[in-house]
Amino acid sequence: MTAATTEPAPLQPVASRPATGFWGSYGQAWVRTPGSALYLLAVFVLAMVSVSVLSSLFWAGVGLLILVIGLPLIVLTLLIARGFGVADRFLLLLTGQAPIAEPEWNRDTPEATGFWMTLTRPIRNAHYWLYLVHGMIVNPIISTISFTLTVVWLSVGLGGLTYWFWGLFLPRGGNTDGSAGEWGQYVADFMPWLFGGWSSWAVEVALYLIAGILFTFTMPWVLGGLARGHHAVAQRMLGRWESDELAAEVRAEAAARGAAVHAEDVALRRLERDIHDGPQQRLVRLQMDLAALERRAESGDTDAAADLAREARGHAKAALDELRALSSGVAPPLLQDRGLAAALDAVATASPLRVQVDVDPAVDRAVSQEIARTVYFVVAELMTNAVKHSGATGVSLRASLRRGAAGAPTHLDVWVVDNGRGGAAFSAGHGLEGLRERLAGLRGLLTLTSPVGGPTSVGAHIPLTVAP
């Protein structure tokens, strides 16, 4: 039997010792400087392209609003503005700043469908308009300023440090031997107390070197400050708002409610079918046997009446057993009386397969009755599928609590792993898809890993939103 393997915990970054002192922070600033410089140069190109494209399309769309084509053109402009904004957020990762969270682009509920609702969705979302303002006005302005300062600092800093080499190849005033220059001689004559006796070339090299050292030394602060300025603007205009969390919550609740309603409808139809095909048929047969028994009793045929009575009793017992099985599938008494851990253990015991059970006893205190019923149903279905379809000889059942930073349980994780032939997949209208919809009603997630040849691993992950 293939036992369930523990899901590896996400790797945690090793805590590095924070840099202390001036030189430590200065060194960290230098590490981010190449990325900041690359971003400040690239975002200027992006801004110039965006202002050209967005301005042309937007004002063309405004001018054509009187025609039908104007509205789609404005919508297209907003979508392109979103693309430029996403590109800017992606480039900002080069600076080493924190990633900017994605906004909620679709604030409509699942019921908001139709052609016009879909077409006008960007127009009704303020994020698209902010992206348009950012790409068409704000970013070109600040990018032009930052690009100019970046070019100045890079050219003066790097050029000043290397002037002693490349300056030899420049024409120097009226001389052809490169030994004297006009402005270097002017500075030497203006400050004889500092450059007395120096040649014009030596004065130029010294001044360029001083400027290069100064600009190179301050480069991490200047370029880092410009990058942080871009990041601050992008955070306000391109980032996620607090209201986005509420909109996402509303949409998730609506989707969960729809999934729960659909799953409940499927379950009720299945229960109706099972009652019709099982107990109802036996009760009809019982009614017929009782009618025949009545006629035999009236005619005095006691032996035949006794046979019919025994047969009727068998049908009544079978109907009662089927009703008990159906009721246990809806709300098993063991789950109500002793909790989820005992109910899962009972499911494992009743299985004809070898089952290894590992259930955290704390799940009974952490999960609500609604979650417990759903988990029991899901596990029972998965165990039944393993018996019928997987060809497995053993199953591993594990239920554990996932805890947050404060130690409180946040999710319930249930894994059912069999050593069968594998090849299971989600398919519309089939069992696994129904289980996924049932978990979606609790905002849970059903994961499946089933390569051909096995093993099959099915995980149910349910947030514990309601504490008992």
Side-chain angles (χ1 to χ4, degrees):
M1 182 182 74
T2 302
T5 57
T6 303
E7 293 298 308
L11 295 177
Q12 301 295 330
V14 178
S16 58
R17 179 179 299 177
T20 57
F22 171 80
W23 292 112
S25 59
Y26 183 73
Q28 288 186 343
W30 256 114
V31 171
R32 295 189 293 267
T33 298
S36 298
L38 181 59
Y39 166 77
L40 294 170
L41 297 175
V43 76
F44 174 74
V45 178
L46 180 69
M48 294 303 101
V49 175
S50 69
V51 69
S52 302
V53 174
L54 297 178
S55 298
S56 302
L57 289 176
F58 178 74
W59 293 117
V62 171
L64 295 173
L65 272 178
I66 193 172
L67 303 177
V68 178
I69 195 176
L71 183 61
L73 195 56
I74 291 179
V75 172
L76 176 62
T77 306
L78 295 175
L79 293 174
I80 295 176
R82 171 181 170 179
F84 281 119
V86 171
D88 193 355
R89 285 178 21 228
F90 177 77
L91 288 175
L92 274 170
L93 297 176
L94 297 172
T95 66
Q97 303 292 322
I100 298 176
E102 184 81 10
E104 187 70 18
W105 295 110
N106 183 11
R107 288 171 167 255
D108 293 339
T109 59
E111 293 80 12
T113 57
F115 174 76
W116 287 108
M117 293 295 292
T118 303
L119 177 64
T120 60
R121 184 176 295 154
I123 297 178
R124 292 180 284 108
N125 191 325
H127 282 298
Y128 281 96
W129 292 100
L130 269 182
Y131 270 58
L132 177 64
V133 173
H134 180 268
M136 197 166 66
I137 300 175
V138 176
N139 200 34
I141 294 175
I142 62 176
S143 295
T144 301
I145 298 173
S146 64
F147 177 78
T148 303
L149 294 175
T150 301
V151 170
V152 169
W153 249 259
L154 289 175
S155 59
V156 175
L158 300 180
L161 293 178
T162 59
Y163 180 74
W164 58 270
F165 173 73
W166 59 267
L168 293 173
F169 302 96
L170 298 178
R172 314 190 54 77
N175 300 330
T176 59
D177 58 357
S179 61
E182 295 181 355
W183 77 271
Q185 187 62 46
Y186 175 79
V187 173
D189 295 339
F190 182 75
M191 292 185 294
W193 51 271
L194 182 61
F195 298 109
W198 287 39
S199 66
S200 174
W201 168 249
V203 173
E204 289 184 19
V205 171
L207 292 178
Y208 272 114
L209 185 61
I210 293 173
I213 293 174
L214 178 63
F215 276 72
T216 302
F217 186 79
T218 58
M219 190 179 298
W221 298 325
V222 174
L223 300 190
L226 294 174
R228 285 191 296 272
H230 275 271
H231 185 273
V233 173
Q235 183 71 49
R236 303 295 189 280
M237 301 188 69
L238 308 181
R240 193 174 183 87
W241 301 341
E242 293 183 0
S243 60
D244 288 339
E245 303 296 339
L246 179 60
E249 186 75 15
V250 170
R251 293 181 66 250
E253 287 293 343
R257 184 171 62 250
V261 170
H262 183 266
E264 191 67 23
D265 180 67
V266 172
L268 289 175
R269 291 179 182 275
R270 177 180 178 181
L271 180 61
E272 180 184 8
R273 183 180 66 251
D274 290 342
I275 291 176
H276 178 272
D277 296 341
Q280 180 175 328
Q281 299 298 324
R282 293 192 178 277
L283 290 175
V284 170
R285 178 63 184 274
L286 176 61
Q287 184 181 17
M288 297 173 61
D289 288 345
L290 290 176
L293 176 61
E294 182 181 5
R295 291 192 298 269
R296 297 289 184 180
E298 289 176 353
S299 65
D301 190 352
T302 56
D303 292 337
D307 292 337
L308 287 173
R310 285 190 292 270
E311 187 176 351
R313 186 176 62 180
H315 287 302
K317 182 178 182 302
L320 181 60
D321 291 339
E322 290 180 355
L323 287 173
R324 284 174 176 171
L326 291 174
S327 66
S328 66
V330 176
L334 184 61
L335 178 63
Q336 303 292 330
D337 298 339
R338 297 180 56 189
L340 179 60
L344 294 181
D345 188 70
V347 171
T349 302
S351 175
L353 302 177
R354 242 180 14 257
V355 182
Q356 177 183 347
V357 182
D358 181 13
V359 179
D360 187 349
V363 298
D364 291 333
R365 298 187 301 272
V367 303
S368 63
Q369 285 295 324
E370 181 183 9
I371 294 177
R373 285 194 299 270
T374 300
V375 170
Y376 175 86
F377 179 82
V378 169
V379 171
E381 284 292 307
L382 292 176
M383 296 293 289
T384 302
N385 290 343
V387 173
K388 291 183 177 180
H389 308 298
S390 70
T393 59
V395 179
S396 177
L397 169 61
R398 187 175 79 253
S400 60
L401 295 172
R402 197 190 316 168
R403 302 182 182 274
T410 59
H411 288 75
L412 173 63
D413 296 322
V414 180
W415 291 93
V416 176
V417 182
D418 67 64
N419 61 353
R421 65 177 66 94
F426 292 109
S427 180
H430 290 76
L432 288 177
E433 183 64 29
L435 295 181
R436 181 159 65 176
E437 290 182 350
R438 194 178 185 96
L439 286 175
L442 298 175
R443 301 185 64 180
L445 178 66
L446 188 71
T447 60
L448 172 66
T449 303
S450 182
V452 176
T456 296
S457 176
V458 184
H461 315 282
I462 306 174
L464 304 178
T465 55
V466 180

